[in-house]
Amino acid sequence: MNALNHSRPLALFGLLLANLCWSGNALVARAFAGEIAPFTLSFWRWCLALALLLPFVAMPLWRHRVAVRTAGWRLLVLGGLGIAGYNSLLYSAAQTTAAINISLVNTCLPLVTFIGAGLLLNEWPARRAWWGMLVAVMGLAVLISQGQWSRLASLSFNQGDLIMLLAVVDWALYSLLLRRWSAYLQPIPPLALLGVFILLGVPLILPFYLYELSQGAHLAINAANLSAVAYTAVFASLLAYLAWNHGIRVIGAAKAALTNYLMPVFTALLGWVLLNESLQLYHWLGAAMIFGGLLLATRPGKTL
């Protein structure tokens, strides 16, 4: 069982699964930007996730209450960053910026995490990992530009992009601290740990949700809105977070962050499957470069 828990292929598969789920989350955020206010979606997403998770984690949390008390304030910080912060910021950014800008700003995540891993964890990635990140960035540029580099020069940025940049820093810090404080977190089972994060994160979202309510932003009860909340709660919350946290524990924050470059690839694939959108040559070329960069960056070994 221990070998399974620390299996790199299993951890990498989990990271791919997390990014696939979050690609769907980005689609939901854009599709419902005018229907569901950002903190309203974030609040009800995590409330539903907590309701689904609590019956399975209540007893484990009680049995591991000493470990929870030992982790203490660290759990509150991680709950604030990973639960309350990142997704609320992403949903807020989606209100005022284009999808292509969100993808472009997200390219900063591996770089921020790489530098943070060196400064906070003393885990400076090998040169091969930096080369792999460069190849993945070039692949992402192919996707964003649709193979026409002039499109990159025509991009404009606004307030939503700055909010997305804050979200990137937030998520990088969450991933790094998850790794840095692993000695305090490992005694707590993964499901119970996620339960603690949600329990501490939801109250931090509540004041912002109540403010949106006071401004008239109510959640309309209909099939579409309920489906959006359900998807974000089950797939983008429970499944994705469990997979991501496990990947961080096994392969580290810096290398795990590189897999975020796959989100535009998965978004294109979801558009092809769900929306009957065509896949162009630049999709395949960009995807091949991103996968190649990830393989180069995450291959075991310390030297080129």
Side-chain angles (χ1 to χ4, degrees):
M1 180 65 71
N2 187 61
L4 181 62
N5 287 340
H6 293 279
S7 167
R8 289 177 62 87
L10 181 63
L12 286 171
F13 173 78
L15 293 172
L16 297 182
L17 181 62
N19 280 281
L20 176 60
C21 292
W22 287 330
S23 297
N25 183 48
L27 290 176
V28 168
R30 295 196 295 270
F32 289 83
E35 298 293 327
I36 310 177
F39 288 101
T40 299
L41 178 55
S42 185
F43 178 78
W44 286 113
R45 160 192 178 169
W46 289 114
C47 282
L48 178 56
L50 181 61
L52 295 172
L53 192 59
L54 200 56
F56 301 97
V57 302
M59 288 305 298
L61 282 176
W62 176 252
R63 288 196 298 267
H64 293 84
R65 59 189 181 278
V66 175
V68 171
R69 284 200 299 268
T70 301
W73 59 271
R74 298 169 184 83
L75 298 174
L76 179 61
V77 171
L78 290 169
L81 291 171
I83 304 302
Y86 177 74
N87 292 282
S88 298
L89 289 170
L90 185 148
Y91 294 151
S92 298
Q95 304 288 315
T96 56
T97 193
I100 189 171
N101 289 46
I102 291 178
S103 296
L104 187 60
V105 175
N106 257 328
T107 63
C108 299
L109 179 58
L111 177 60
V112 173
T113 308
F114 267 44
I115 295 173
L119 296 176
L120 293 178
L121 310 177
N122 198 28
E123 295 179 358
W124 290 103
R127 284 179 295 169
R128 183 184 58 254
W130 291 95
W131 282 112
M133 182 177 70
L134 178 60
V135 173
V137 167
M138 293 174 63
L140 185 61
V142 170
L143 284 178
I144 292 175
S145 67
Q146 297 182 7
Q148 302 176 24
W149 300 112
S150 59
R151 290 175 60 90
L152 294 179
S154 64
L155 291 174
S156 59
F157 297 90
N158 55 35
Q159 180 182 354
D161 302 309
L162 295 177
I163 296 174
M164 193 60 212
L165 187 59
L166 288 177
V168 164
V169 175
D170 178 291
W171 188 253
L173 191 56
Y174 167 78
S175 300
L176 291 165
L177 293 178
L178 199 66
R179 177 79 167 181
R180 181 179 177 88
W181 294 334
S182 60
Y184 295 94
L185 306 178
Q186 283 181 354
I188 308 172
L191 270 178
L193 182 62
L194 181 57
V196 173
F197 289 162
I198 300 175
L199 278 169
L200 296 174
V202 167
L204 298 177
I205 305 172
L206 181 60
F208 299 96
Y209 167 60
L210 293 177
Y211 174 76
E212 284 185 345
L213 282 180
S214 70
Q215 300 300 304
H218 297 280
L219 177 64
I221 305 301
N222 55 54
N225 288 350
L226 293 179
S227 297
V229 172
Y231 175 84
T232 58
V234 176
F235 294 97
S237 298
L238 298 181
L239 184 59
Y241 272 68
L242 286 171
W244 180 264
N245 292 352
H246 177 70
I248 292 287
R249 182 176 299 182
V250 175
I251 73 169
K255 290 183 178 179
L258 285 169
T259 62
N260 289 118
Y261 285 131
L262 290 171
M263 287 184 63
V265 178
F266 289 145
T267 301
L269 290 174
L270 289 174
W272 176 51
V273 173
L274 301 178
L275 305 177
N276 200 31
E277 296 178 349
S278 61
L279 290 178
Q280 306 296 329
L281 178 61
Y282 67 83
H283 287 120
W284 297 107
L285 178 59
M289 294 176 68
I290 290 173
F291 272 105
L294 293 179
L295 290 175
L296 176 62
T298 58
R299 185 165 56 88
K302 296 184 179 180
T303 64
L304 284 173

